[in-house]
Each structure stands twice: as structure tokens, then as C-alpha cells.
Amino acid sequence: MTTGWTLSPEPADSPAALALWRAYYTEMSDRWYQVHEGRDTPPEELEREVVAANDHATLAPPSGLLLLGRYAGEPAGTAGIRLFAGGDAAQGPAAELKRLFVRKEARGTGGGPLLLAAAEVAARALGARAVLLDTRDDLTEAWSLYERNGYERTAPHNDDSYAERWYRKRL
């Protein structure tokens, strides 16, 4: 059910994109703290990490793109794609999926699969022949979505300290 969703490219530093980035990071950080420490992220750490984790420039043309999804006209989700520098020459260029996120209020409306499919189209347009991504074990909704959509688990392609699962899909 994707009725009510519209997708369009968005500058990663636009007010709508930044608000969704803050919501994404807050939820991801709070979930990690809940699993590992039984509490939400301390506010001062959240502010520091939101700034430190800023990778807006990598989600801009010519080597990246941020898609913003609106549900019922309101910003409700994002999917970023960027060319991956550490690709395997034998398998062709790869892109990396970043910030696939749907606000809680819009979950269950088809936005996740829609954003994922649009990110794959964007990756192809950038010349990628595969999409890579990483996620955490506790983000069951995320890795379940990826597996349902043809992503296969792989060896790590980065050294992100929070990543626990790595995936790849040939385009």
C-alpha cells in the first residue's frame, strides 16, 4: 500500500531532510542505548553525535542523492545513496544505502519498500551495479526489509563500530 507517498530528490541539508535526520538519529541512538544501557541517549551526547555524524555532502550529486518521501504531504522518510569508494573491481561499481528511515507515524504504509526501490534506481543512475549497506542486529525491521527485497548478507565492507550486519544486492 503506497497510496499517499510521493518521492523526490532533496538537498540533504534542507530543513525537511535535517528534521528527518534528527528523528532518525534520535531513534537509532535511543534504541542502541535501550538495548545496551537500559535508557535513552543522554541529551548532550545526542546533540554532539547528531553534529558529528553529519555526512550530508556525501548524499549530493554527482556521486550521491538523498530521496525524501512525503506521506499525505508531510515529510515522512528518507533514503540516501552514494557511490562506494571501496568497491570490488571484478563486480563493478557499488553504491551504499544510507539513512533509510520512515517516521513511526507512517510505518506500515509501504514507504520503506518504496524508498528502497527508488534508492536502487538512483544507484543504477549513478552507474552502480550493486548496493551495499550495513545495519545493526536490533534493527529487525530494517534487515527484514532488506532480506525480503533480495539483499544477501556479506562480509563487512566497512569498519563502522555500530554495524553488525552487512548486505549486498546486485542490480
Side-chain angles (χ1 to χ4, degrees):
M1 173 174 127
T2 56
T3 304
W5 279 94
T6 58
L7 304 181
S8 60
E10 181 84 12
D13 60 354
S14 75
L18 291 173
L20 285 166
W21 166 238
R22 178 172 285 284
Y24 165 86
Y25 193 82
T26 300
E27 183 176 339
M28 296 307 104
S29 183
D30 284 351
R31 284 178 73 163
W32 189 90
Y33 268 92
Q34 285 295 334
V35 167
H36 297 281
E37 297 187 14
R39 61 185 174 89
D40 286 343
T41 310
E44 65 283 354
E45 180 170 336
L46 182 61
E47 288 307 311
R48 186 175 60 249
E49 292 301 316
V50 164
V51 171
N54 173 346
D55 61 355
H56 308 312
T58 68
L59 300 177
S63 59
L65 181 71
L66 180 72
L67 296 165
L68 189 129
R70 286 180 169 76
Y71 183 69
E74 294 296 319
T78 60
I81 201 79
R82 65 183 180 194
L83 290 177
F84 183 70
D88 179 346
Q91 295 189 29
E96 187 175 26
L97 180 70
K98 301 299 290 180
R99 296 190 199 168
L100 180 61
F101 174 69
V102 175
R103 282 189 183 271
K104 288 179 185 179
E105 307 82 44
R107 291 184 188 153
T109 62
L114 187 66
L115 284 158
L116 181 59
E120 292 170 1
V121 169
R124 279 189 207 96
L126 291 171
R129 294 170 65 193
V131 174
L132 307 172
L133 64 90
D134 65 69
T135 190
R136 298 188 329 231
D137 285 336
D138 65 306
L139 301 178
T140 56
E141 309 93 322
W143 55 261
S144 176
L145 171 69
Y146 304 137
E147 290 176 2
R148 282 193 317 271
N149 284 276
Y151 285 77
E152 296 178 353
R153 285 190 76 173
T154 65
H157 63 268
N158 63 29
D159 60 358
D160 184 326
S161 59
Y162 294 105
E164 297 168 315
R165 290 172 171 257
W166 292 264
Y167 288 89
R168 177 184 192 94
K169 179 179 181 179
R170 293 181 74 61
L171 298 176

